[in-house]
Amino acid sequence: MNTSFKQAGQKCLQWIVHHPKKFFAYSMIFLSVSFIGSLIQGIFFPLGTVFTIKPPVLYSKSQMAQSPTVNNEREIKKIVEELKVLKVKRDRKQLQKEDSLRIEYLFNQFQKLKTQ
Protein backbone atom coordinates (compact mmCIF):
# COMPACT_ATOMS: atom_id res chain seq x y z
CA MET A 1 0.00 0.00 0.00
CA ASN A 2 2.87 2.32 0.82
CA THR A 3 4.44 1.65 -2.56
CA SER A 4 1.20 2.43 -4.39
CA PHE A 5 1.08 5.87 -2.74
CA LYS A 6 4.68 6.51 -3.77
CA GLN A 7 3.97 5.45 -7.35
CA ALA A 8 0.84 7.62 -7.53
CA GLY A 9 2.79 10.57 -6.10
CA GLN A 10 5.60 10.08 -8.61
CA LYS A 11 3.10 9.94 -11.48
CA CYS A 12 1.51 13.19 -10.28
CA LEU A 13 4.89 14.88 -10.01
CA GLN A 14 5.87 13.73 -13.49
CA TRP A 15 2.58 15.01 -14.92
CA ILE A 16 3.14 18.38 -13.12
CA VAL A 17 6.66 18.62 -14.55
CA HIS A 18 5.44 17.85 -18.08
CA HIS A 19 2.33 20.11 -17.92
CA PRO A 20 3.19 23.16 -15.77
CA LYS A 21 0.64 25.48 -17.49
CA LYS A 22 -2.25 23.06 -16.91
CA PHE A 23 -1.17 22.55 -13.30
CA PHE A 24 -1.05 26.32 -12.74
CA ALA A 25 -4.48 26.78 -14.35
CA TYR A 26 -6.05 23.98 -12.29
CA SER A 27 -4.45 25.34 -9.12
CA MET A 28 -5.77 28.85 -9.78
CA ILE A 29 -9.26 27.52 -10.52
CA PHE A 30 -9.24 25.49 -7.30
CA LEU A 31 -8.00 28.46 -5.23
CA SER A 32 -10.57 30.81 -6.79
CA VAL A 33 -13.46 28.40 -6.19
CA SER A 34 -12.40 27.77 -2.59
CA PHE A 35 -12.02 31.54 -1.96
CA ILE A 36 -15.49 32.26 -3.36
CA GLY A 37 -16.91 29.35 -1.37
CA SER A 38 -15.39 30.65 1.87
CA LEU A 39 -16.77 34.13 1.14
CA ILE A 40 -20.25 32.72 0.57
CA GLN A 41 -20.03 30.65 3.74
CA GLY A 42 -18.84 33.65 5.77
CA ILE A 43 -21.56 35.95 4.47
CA PHE A 44 -24.60 33.68 4.32
CA PHE A 45 -23.75 31.07 6.96
CA PRO A 46 -21.64 32.75 9.65
CA LEU A 47 -20.47 30.70 12.57
CA GLY A 48 -22.07 31.47 15.91
CA THR A 49 -18.78 31.19 17.78
CA VAL A 50 -16.72 33.72 15.87
CA PHE A 51 -15.46 35.69 18.87
CA THR A 52 -15.48 33.46 21.91
CA ILE A 53 -12.63 35.24 23.67
CA LYS A 54 -13.96 37.80 26.13
CA PRO A 55 -11.76 40.53 27.54
CA PRO A 56 -11.03 40.44 31.25
CA VAL A 57 -13.43 42.35 33.46
CA LEU A 58 -10.65 44.77 34.31
CA TYR A 59 -10.63 46.08 30.73
CA SER A 60 -14.33 45.84 29.99
CA LYS A 61 -15.92 49.13 28.88
CA SER A 62 -18.93 48.74 31.16
CA GLN A 63 -16.75 48.28 34.23
CA MET A 64 -14.52 51.16 33.22
CA ALA A 65 -17.55 53.43 32.88
CA GLN A 66 -19.06 52.43 36.23
CA SER A 67 -15.97 52.46 38.41
CA PRO A 68 -14.98 56.17 38.08
CA THR A 69 -18.55 57.34 38.63
CA VAL A 70 -18.89 55.26 41.81
CA ASN A 71 -15.53 56.52 43.08
CA ASN A 72 -16.45 60.09 42.17
CA GLU A 73 -19.72 59.84 44.05
CA ARG A 74 -17.92 58.53 47.13
CA GLU A 75 -15.35 61.31 46.98
CA ILE A 76 -18.06 63.93 46.49
CA LYS A 77 -19.94 62.62 49.54
CA LYS A 78 -16.76 62.80 51.65
CA ILE A 79 -16.09 66.36 50.48
CA VAL A 80 -19.67 67.45 51.19
CA GLU A 81 -19.54 65.95 54.69
CA GLU A 82 -16.29 67.70 55.47
CA LEU A 83 -17.64 70.98 54.10
CA LYS A 84 -20.69 70.61 56.35
CA VAL A 85 -18.40 70.20 59.36
CA LEU A 86 -16.48 73.31 58.33
CA LYS A 87 -19.76 75.22 57.87
CA VAL A 88 -20.75 74.39 61.43
CA LYS A 89 -17.34 75.61 62.53
CA ARG A 90 -17.89 78.82 60.57
CA ASP A 91 -21.29 79.36 62.16
CA ARG A 92 -19.60 79.13 65.58
CA LYS A 93 -16.95 81.58 64.32
CA GLN A 94 -14.14 79.16 65.10
CA LEU A 95 -12.53 79.11 61.63
CA GLN A 96 -8.79 79.38 61.37
CA LYS A 97 -6.50 80.12 58.44
CA GLU A 98 -5.88 76.39 57.86
CA ASP A 99 -9.62 75.80 57.68
CA SER A 100 -10.09 78.40 54.95
CA LEU A 101 -7.28 76.81 52.94
CA ARG A 102 -8.93 73.44 53.43
CA ILE A 103 -12.27 74.86 52.21
CA GLU A 104 -10.62 76.17 49.04
CA TYR A 105 -8.93 72.84 48.41
CA LEU A 106 -12.15 70.88 48.97
CA PHE A 107 -14.10 73.23 46.72
CA ASN A 108 -11.54 72.78 43.91
CA GLN A 109 -11.65 69.01 44.31
CA PHE A 110 -15.45 69.13 44.23
CA GLN A 111 -15.38 71.13 40.98
CA LYS A 112 -12.94 68.67 39.39
CA LEU A 113 -15.07 65.68 40.33
CA LYS A 114 -18.25 67.34 39.06
CA THR A 115 -16.70 68.06 35.62
CA GLN A 116 -15.47 64.49 35.14
Side-chain angles (χ1 to χ4, degrees), residues 29-93:
I29 291 170
F30 174 75
L31 289 173
S32 300
V33 168
S34 63
F35 177 71
I36 291 170
S38 67
L39 279 178
I40 291 171
Q41 179 187 8
I43 293 171
F44 294 112
F45 309 105
L47 295 175
T49 58
V50 175
F51 297 107
T52 57
I53 300 173
K54 294 182 181 179
V57 176
L58 180 64
Y59 300 111
S60 175
K61 289 183 180 181
S62 63
Q63 290 292 77
M64 293 293 283
Q66 288 177 349
S67 181
T69 58
V70 171
N71 289 338
N72 286 350
E73 290 174 8
R74 288 180 190 161
E75 290 296 320
I76 288 173
K77 285 181 182 178
K78 288 179 185 178
I79 289 172
V80 168
E81 291 299 319
E82 193 169 347
L83 284 172
K84 285 180 182 178
V85 169
L86 289 170
K87 184 178 184 262
V88 170
K89 209 172 182 182
R90 183 197 71 184
D91 292 341
R92 293 182 188 161
K93 297 184 181 182

